[in-house]
Amino acid sequence: MLGIETSCDETAASVVARKPDGSGEIVSSVVLSQTALHAPYGGVVPEIAARSHLAHLDRLVEQAMSEADCSYDDLSGIAATAGPGLIGGVLTGLMTAKALALATGKPFYGINHLEGHALTPGLTEGLRPPYLMLLVSGGHTQLVSVDDVGQYTRLGTTIDDALGEAFDKTAKLLDLGYPGGPAVEAAAAHGNPRRFKFPVPMKGRDDCNFSFSGLKTAVRQAATSIQPLAAADVADICAAFQEAACAAVADRVQRAMVRFEEMHGGLQHRVLVASGGVAANLALRECLDRCCAEARFSLSVPPVDLCTDNAAMIAWAGLENAVRRDPDAFALSARARWPLDADAEPQPFAGVKA
Ligand code: KG4
Ligand code: ZN
């Protein structure tokens, strides 16, 4: 299966095969990150993203096919992200996949990007549902019960900013550059998390939703109260921000673990999967380790290049879809919003994140 991913700021193509024992094998996977293009703006600029996907996708597909040493005849199908995401980018990948499928006569699958993330542990370690997934990236912050392939219950989502976005905005405010997550983590390592007392958003709330806009405001107030900011001040703000953000995630994850157990009582082996770019944050991982130890879950984090956006997860989701349903018609539309759980309540302020 050829997979194509263009929903945000990575242009990616990959060939994934299913081995006779049912497990997946990444035959080739190429990812072109647009980080440098967006860095001057401190965030992803949709028009720049779409134009760059358009400029590079054909070459990347060719590269993925040639690295896999595979011809179009060998493929079982062509899968592309059909949403959710930045619509110009999604359209680029989806139209390319449709054109390739039409020209080669291969089945075409439009894939939900979130399903790609959700099914990655099946590709990387053969993990089968049910399991609980925390997806924390620049665009998404969600807790999902992966009940089965194709069956997802969204337990919580952000009602405003995504966690990666909160890291990026904190970095921007403190002049730490873009993407901000790694810079904030590095600065926090030298900081005193006790000097500032930031709120832990949503703590104790009965649902499993997230909110980071209040924390962002608290960071802004702290930063503007000290001028000029010395390196030690920046480090202390980062440390306090990271601690509050991790505490907020831990509180939400603990609630979701209770909900997951109510839904899937009596499971022998309970797993929390953490994915998305922010899962690279070591303080967050330690925090999740503690949550898992307390609730007797095991923590599984895919390798970082499969936590962040890539096309192998889309190809693998294509393979998983292909055994369960018919291919999509070419009339399938790109969707800026596409909740994985169709029954979940819409979150109007969460952008593409819901
Ligand atoms: O999954 P991802 O690569 O892509 C998109 O969301 O498109 O996630 C990127 C996000 C950015 O917001 C980045 O700042 C954040 O993940 N991130 C981190 C770390 N590494 C990346 N946040 C906190 N700590 C990190 N070490
Ligand atoms: Zn993603």
Side-chain angles (χ1 to χ4, degrees), residues 273-299:
V273 175
S275 193
V278 192
N281 185 288
L282 292 181
L284 182 67
R285 283 202 199 192
E286 277 168 22
C287 203
L288 295 176
D289 264 333
R290 281 197 296 276
C291 293
C292 283
E294 275 168 26
R296 290 195 282 129
F297 274 64
S298 46
L299 179 64

Side-chain angles (χ1 to χ4, degrees), residues 73-345:
D73 276 349
D74 302 328
L75 293 175
S76 59
I78 298 174
T81 298
L86 301 171
I87 199 69
V90 175
L91 274 168
T92 307
L94 196 64
M95 296 311 285
T96 302
K98 286 180 185 178
L100 287 171
L102 185 63
T104 58
K106 294 291 173 180
F108 154 71
Y109 296 91
I111 301 296
N112 184 313
H113 177 86
L114 300 168
E115 183 171 50
H117 282 298
L119 299 182
T120 296
L123 171 63
T124 54
E125 51 174 305
L127 184 67
R128 305 307 298 174
Y131 48 85
L132 178 63
M133 182 185 66
L134 170 72
L135 175 62
V136 276
S137 71
H140 306 282
T141 300
Q142 301 208 352
L143 277 158
V144 175
S145 170
V146 179
D147 304 322
D148 202 347
V149 175
Q151 209 177 310
Y152 310 95
T153 307
R154 193 185 75 198
L155 302 177
T157 184
T158 181
I159 58 168
D160 41 57
D161 291 348
L163 181 56
E165 202 177 356
F167 270 91
D168 292 338
K169 287 179 177 172
T170 297
K172 195 171 181 180
L173 201 71
L174 300 172
D175 259 341
L176 292 174
Y178 174 84
V184 170
E185 182 173 17
H190 311 290
N192 167 15
R194 309 266 165 270
R195 178 165 155 211
F196 298 96
K197 185 104 191 78
F198 291 152
V200 176
M202 313 292 267
K203 191 171 167 67
R205 282 258 307 243
D206 221 28
D207 60 33
C208 304
N209 286 337
F210 299 83
S211 164
F212 294 105
S213 65
L215 181 55
K216 181 181 66 187
T217 306
V219 168
R220 184 183 304 115
Q221 280 167 351
T224 47
S225 71
I226 312 163
Q227 287 300 338
L229 279 168
D233 302 320
V234 169
D236 291 346
I237 293 173
C238 287
F241 162 78
Q242 187 172 269
E243 189 165 278
C246 288
V249 173
D251 182 69
R252 311 288 70 210
V253 164
Q254 282 163 341
R255 288 226 69 79
M257 284 171 159
V258 173
R259 290 276 312 277
F260 181 81
E261 285 204 48
E262 286 166 2
M263 294 170 67
H264 304 281
L267 267 188
Q268 284 279 311
H269 189 48
R270 292 183 295 260
V271 182
L272 170 69
V273 175
S275 193
V278 192
N281 185 288
L282 292 181
L284 182 67
R285 283 202 199 192
E286 277 168 22
C287 203
L288 295 176
D289 264 333
R290 281 197 296 276
C291 293
C292 283
E294 275 168 26
R296 290 195 282 129
F297 274 64
S298 46
L299 179 64
S300 160
V301 186
V304 100
D305 54 337
L306 294 169
C307 260
T308 54
D309 289 349
N310 65 87
M313 69 178 188
I314 303 303
W316 173 247
L319 284 168
E320 290 281 57
N321 273 260
V323 292
R324 279 166 187 83
R325 66 172 178 94
D326 290 335
D328 285 307
F330 289 131
L332 183 82
S333 298
R335 294 178 63 175
R337 284 165 178 264
W338 184 4
L340 196 48
D341 174 354
D343 300 328
E345 207 183 313

